[in-house]
Structures are given as C-alpha cells and as structure tokens.
Amino acid sequence: MKTDLQDYSHKRFNILTGEWVLVSPHRAKRPWQGQNEEISKEIRPSHDPTCYLCAGNTRINGEINPNYEDVFVFTNDFAALQNDSKSFQINDGLLQAQSETGICKVVCFSPDHSKSLADMSATAIEKVVFAWQKEYKELGNIDTINYVQIFENKGAVMGCSNPHPHGQIWSQSTLPNEVDKKDKAQLAYYNTNTSSLLGDYLGQELNEKERIIFENDAFVVLVPFWAVWPFETMIVPRRAQGSILDLNAEETLLFAEAISAITKAYDKLFNTSFPYSSGIHQSPTNGEDNSHWHWHMSFYPPLLRSATVKKFMVGYEMFGSPQRDITPEVAAKMLATLVE
C-alpha cells in the first residue's frame, strides 16, 4: 500500500475538513516550461525610514510608532473588519447576507526590518507567542468576538505588502469557513470517541514516522497526510489543548523552538527567504464547551520545485478539488534533512 501511494494517482482524505485532495506523484517528473518567479536579491536594512512598520516611523494615519525593542501590536489602519459596523441581515429569496463585525490588529515581530521568523532566536519568537496569547485572550473576552484568527503572510508572492517581519490578527463575530469545518469534524469525532481527533492522528503519525520533520518534548512538526501545498507543514501539540492559552511556560518556549526549526528549514530548502502563509487554528471564543478542540499551526508555502517555480491553484484545483504532485512523504524527507 505504501508503495502504491508513491507510484499511482490517488485521493487522500483531510480528517479536519472532510475534503479530499488528489495526489499525482508521476506528474512530479514532467518538464516545466511555465512561469518562473524572480528571486529577490534585495538586502534590507535593519531600519527603513520609509517603512510604516519600523520603530519611530509615522504610519499612514499620522500615528507615530514607538521605539519598540521586541514586539509591537497595533490596530490595523486598514482593517478588513469594523467593530462599529451597522447590524443588518438580508434574506431575499436565494440572496442572503448579514453584517459582520470584528477587530483587526498588526503584530510586528521585531524592530529589525531585515529579519523574518527564520532569522530570529527561539527566545525572540517566544515574545511573539506571548503577544499572540495576550491578544487571543483580550480579544476573545469581548462579547461580540467569537473567533480570533492569528496568521502571517510572508513574501511578495503571498501578497505581503510590506517586507517588515509582521503578522496579523483578525477577530470576528462568527466562525470563518475553514474553522467551522474543523470545529464540526473535531466535535463529531470527540462525541464518538471521547478523544482528540488530532491527538489520535498524531499518535498514528508518530508510529509510522514517514512524515515527521521535527520533534521536541511538547510539539511535533509534520507534513499532514492530506497536505495540499507541496511543502505544507503543521505544528501539533503533543498534549491536547484548546488554544495557545493552555501552554505552560516550558511549552511556550518549545512552541517557539518548533516555529524556529521549520522556518529555518524552509529557508534552506531552496536557499531563499521562503514565502508562506501560516495560521493558528484554535478554540472559538464563543463561551461554549470546546473540549473537542486541539489547536495547531499550519504553514502553506507556494514553492514547488525551486525558488522560482510556484504552485498555482488553477484549473482542476478551482473547479474540482486540490491537487498535488510531490507526495507528502517525499516533501517530509526533504525538509527533515534540513532541520538543525
């Protein structure tokens, strides 16, 4: 069976979303004559006077950033969600809409404009985790906020509008689509098995050891069996936890260590500052019993064969279902050899 997965086209099931991904390992050998991305040769300064995220600089709304020394958080000047939106609902036959409120924030990881998470120490990344925990708790305690989404877009190819090391937090009144799917899947499994879906999955992965990239005492970094993106990875806590607030002091640093390990490995893979979108999926803040949740952090990088070849989600992916060429097992082996 394992050999078949590496030689023949097949579908893999995503236990968290209930969706399938098509895997076509034979296509990894096809010649590439498509688009090649340009590799950025830019060497960024530690402080850019034109960057609106750098310490001491003025943002577009006229506010001046403090001379911060580690992590700086502020309310997004161009927020996608508004906290004071008018409340309304439209039910006009098959036309349905409803208002959505929320609060969006920006998290600057470091005052050093030239760095990314891959260039930061685990102790420096731990300060970012502390900021995530603080915002998740404070935003989640607001009555109108029922979910807090922490994420980062790294690299111009991922639509990042500013190279300064930063991420975002969007908090809102309802559960976004991906979270809603994962919420339902984990709840159904928990009600049937009285155990964590991801915890049981992690146990199977640790037994097989085919897709493991990095381990420490509290976390495992792996390529999910159902991964869509060529070098997609997931950081999973060994202990079933609903959110990052459940981390103890030791686990917080070990989480930072796991982030450091995978981001550094990414940069080594194609010898480039590796682009990706990453995000943490964790328990909703709706005040309900969310014992079924097992939080995790995912990385979705778009690079396929090299620093210049990008995976496009087009054609069949748009009209059918996600598809990948390189198998998760091959991707895991490539990344595992690069972990420090």
Side-chain angles (χ1 to χ4, degrees), residues 23-325:
V23 184
S24 312
H26 55 287
R27 279 170 54 89
K29 300 174 183 177
R30 65 184 173 133
W32 181 263
Q33 293 183 316
Q35 178 173 324
N36 286 281
E37 303 293 330
E38 290 187 8
I39 301 176
S40 175
K41 304 287 187 183
E42 178 189 16
I43 299 176
R44 301 200 308 271
S46 59
H47 184 276
D48 182 348
T50 67
C51 171
Y52 57 84
L53 297 181
C54 278
N57 289 357
T58 302
R59 300 204 305 276
I60 195 70
N61 66 351
E63 291 187 26
I64 299 175
N65 297 330
N67 289 311
Y68 62 96
E69 296 181 354
D70 39 61
V71 183
F72 171 49
V73 182
F74 64 92
T75 301
N76 198 321
D77 299 323
F78 298 96
L81 293 160
Q82 302 162 305
N83 196 36
D84 55 356
S85 293
K86 175 185 175 183
S87 179
F88 65 87
Q89 188 164 352
I90 296 173
N91 281 298
D92 182 10
L94 297 178
L95 309 179
Q96 298 183 43
Q98 64 182 62
S99 55
E100 179 75 348
T101 58
I103 300 170
C104 298
K105 295 197 173 184
V106 175
V107 182
C108 295
F109 300 153
S110 166
D112 193 328
H113 184 80
S114 68
K115 289 186 175 181
S116 69
L117 288 176
D119 304 311
M120 296 167 58
S121 67
T123 52
I125 296 174
E126 183 183 31
K127 293 179 181 178
V128 177
V129 177
F130 289 150
W132 287 341
Q133 290 173 320
K134 179 177 181 291
E135 294 300 324
Y136 175 82
K137 182 176 182 179
E138 291 182 357
L139 290 168
N141 282 337
I142 299 173
D143 289 340
T144 55
I145 298 298
N146 290 305
Y147 191 72
V148 179
Q149 181 61 63
I150 297 168
F151 66 97
E152 177 196 4
N153 293 321
K154 180 192 173 193
V157 72
M158 298 308 294
C160 184
S161 59
N162 189 315
H164 192 103
H166 74 285
Q168 298 185 57
I169 301 176
W170 291 13
S171 59
Q172 60 191 100
S173 57
T174 61
L175 269 59
N177 294 344
E178 290 302 300
V179 178
D180 187 53
K181 285 184 281 190
K182 290 187 176 185
D183 182 59
K184 290 173 179 173
Q186 290 184 93
L187 179 59
Y189 187 89
Y190 186 84
N191 286 341
T192 301
N193 301 278
T194 63
S195 59
S196 158
L197 173 61
L198 264 188
D200 290 350
Y201 164 71
L202 181 59
Q204 189 169 346
E205 287 285 16
L206 289 170
N207 284 332
E208 296 193 5
K209 294 192 178 299
E210 283 193 294
R211 289 166 291 275
I212 304 296
I213 297 169
F214 171 82
E215 298 180 58
N216 59 28
D217 289 342
F219 290 90
V220 177
V221 184
L222 53 82
V223 177
F225 180 76
W226 55 82
V228 169
W229 295 95
F231 294 96
E232 177 179 334
T233 60
M234 179 188 290
I235 301 177
V236 187
R238 292 181 185 271
R239 187 166 63 91
Q241 303 170 338
S243 76
I244 55 176
L245 293 183
D246 296 324
L247 294 168
N248 60 37
E250 181 184 8
E251 290 170 334
T252 303
L253 181 57
L254 290 174
F255 178 35
E257 181 184 71
I259 294 173
S260 176
I262 186 55
T263 53
K264 281 178 167 60
Y266 276 150
D267 279 10
K268 291 178 183 177
L269 182 62
F270 295 135
N271 194 29
T272 189
S273 183
F274 209 77
Y276 59 73
S277 280
S278 67
I280 300 174
H281 278 160
Q282 54 192 326
S283 173
T285 57
N286 51 15
E288 298 178 9
D289 180 5
N290 292 303
S291 303
H292 55 286
W293 262 91
H294 192 145
W295 75 269
H296 48 284
M297 183 175 189
S298 296
F299 290 80
Y300 301 155
L303 298 186
L304 178 57
R305 301 173 180 223
S306 69
T308 63
V309 178
K310 177 179 179 287
K311 162 70 176 179
F312 289 92
M313 288 292 183
V314 295
Y316 182 83
E317 288 92 348
M318 283 184 169
F319 297 101
S321 64
Q323 181 271 340
R324 62 178 292 135
D325 296 347

